[in-house]
Amino acid sequence: MSIPRPEHPKMQFYRPDWVNLNGEWSYEFDFGKSGIERGLQNSTGFAGKITVPFCPESPLSGVGHTDFIESMFYQRALEIPAAWNGRRILLHFGAVDYTAVIYLDGVEVGRHSGGSISFTIDLTRHVEAGKSYNLVVHVLDDQRSFVQPFGKQCPQFQSCGCSYTRVTGIWQTVWLEAAGIQGLKKCRIVPEFDQGAFGFLPEYFEERPGNTLTVRILAEGREVAVETVPASAWGPFSVTVPEPRAWSPEDPFLYTIVFEVKNASGELLDRVESYGGLRKIHVEGDRLFLNNKPLFLRMVLDQGYYPDGVWTAPSDEALVRDIELSMAAGFNSARLHQKVFEERFHYHADRMGYLTWGESACWGLGWTRSQWYTQDRYTGVFNFLREWRETVERDANHPSIIAWTPLNETERPVDLDFYRGVMTEVYDLTRQVDPTRPVNDTSGYQHVKTDLWTVHLYRKDAAELKEALTPAGGGVWHTSPDHEVPYAGQPYLNDEFGGFMYIPPERAKFAANTWGYHGLDLKSPEELCAKIAEQVDYMLTVPNLSGYCYTQLTDVEQEQNGLYNYDRTAKVPEGMLKAIFGKSPEWAK
């Protein structure tokens, strides 16, 4: 049987010695949460079969169980290649929702909480090359606790409103990798656009006196720069690139970057391949600048849901196709919404020149919205801050990501002082981990400390949009004037609008509760495009507007307000959308 999603998950940090663990695993649901008492961590095989990396709720998993799953177990054999003797053995999980406890032969070897982000278990001291082990993963996912972020996963049994099918357990690729014992653990790559250089901040598994790190930078296969430095714990350094070539949407040029760790005798200990794009994103007054040129963002909202895989794309080609569909519609960028997208998506965005905003799956946290309020708000804050830090650290090297949006629509917080304190910490943490990108503290509502002023203005026509977007007294729209901080001149963006529902005549409603914004019953592609065009054309005339984000790229289950159907087929004849979304204001051309 062929391996699903066989491609390497992490092209930003590639070693050739790796084994993809996707495919058939055995599983058992643990609805009574008694599995540990019953010794399921020792199992050598369950009766159920599931296809990893697809969640059990998805058709592609072969299971299709869509009710709540608060506990379940996975199992498979794990063989360590004999050729990996003397190497560091790493077990990687692209993502597991929500808590994963990892067992080898019944012994716990690691655990991780955070349903959206990747993690690694170092197996070196637990395994020997050439031997086989029994791998069991215990998953815990208490979504209705409202202390763990779940994004657009529905907290009710049936999908409704803006919430869709749930995701439990393993939903991204699992793989095994061999690294050097004293090898490179990770390395931050910072484009220093104005200096024509890349900055590096490496971290190692172990250090030894005399070890060195050599960085080789290649352009189209030709080495253009090389630097060797001591492999030490605190060793930030820069490497200048001769005749630097910028990364941009028009020319998404990527330099190949090769890291080599050697010992004092010159023996190669570890080798990692990566890449980088030389670009700069910054704010000047109320404008965004890319590579020191003013930037107008024509964004689309992308939620990353798939009919057959839910949060998991059925194939690598499906990730590429979503970017192609967006660009074909005239967009230059996307808000990746209420989901931490897998690294393969960012890799394709990097090489295709597709700008994105990185976001968390923050919905579900009781401290952010009154309808999910829980007294245990401190656990929710802790869980969010930990996972968000891991997200920014993992994805900071991708040149296509140009802004961070930690939270979305943090509406009606119960304790305003508490909320403001947490939001200030969220902003400061994000800027501390990555000072190179602007931070949109919360998309649309309740701004506290932010580099971008974003609003959500769903209006049924251009006249209503104008009234809200450009208030008669001047200034910008405030969702909650009594709760938000004053506007301080940041770039102004309408980062959610539209949402018009049009269902082609050959299509049926997804469900009885299918909906779109405004309650309009549009009958043709021409009606849909006319409604959108009047709002887009108006926004291009607003002098202080730095961009917009249309809701949304595709239908998602009962929310049938996408520009494409849920299966990615067209609703509108080719070219009609690009004629609307492909335009920028004169100042940004």
Side-chain angles (χ1 to χ4, degrees), residues 510-531:
F510 182 87
N513 59 353
T514 283
W515 70 283
Y517 288 88
H518 318 295
L520 300 174
D521 186 19
L522 303 177
K523 298 297 186 182
S524 69
E526 289 75 18
E527 283 190 54
L528 172 67
C529 288
K531 268 293 171 190

Side-chain angles (χ1 to χ4, degrees), residues 145 186 347 509:
S145 66
K186 59 184 177 180
Y347 163 67
K509 287 187 175 182

Side-chain angles (χ1 to χ4, degrees), residues 2 39 46 75 230 246-247 255 260 273 284 310 371 402 433 446 453 493 497 515 537 548 553 561 566:
S2 61
F46 300 111
Q75 179 277 336
W247 182 97
Y255 287 92
E260 295 176 339
E273 294 181 15
E284 287 185 30
V310 191
Q371 67 265 46
I402 59 167
V433 176
Q446 305 284 121
W453 192 271
L493 299 103
F497 83 103
W515 70 283
D537 289 346
Y548 60 74
L553 182 62
N561 52 24
Y566 196 17

Side-chain angles (χ1 to χ4, degrees), residues 461-472:
D461 56 42
E464 289 189 5
L465 178 62
K466 180 179 180 179
E467 183 179 2
L469 190 63
T470 52

Side-chain angles (χ1 to χ4, degrees), residues 287 294 296 539-543 545 583-589:
R287 287 281 185 249
F296 186 85
M539 286 189 287
L540 296 179
T541 70
V542 178
L545 196 70
K583 297 179 290 187
S584 292
E586 287 298 322
W587 59 262
K589 293 180 180 178

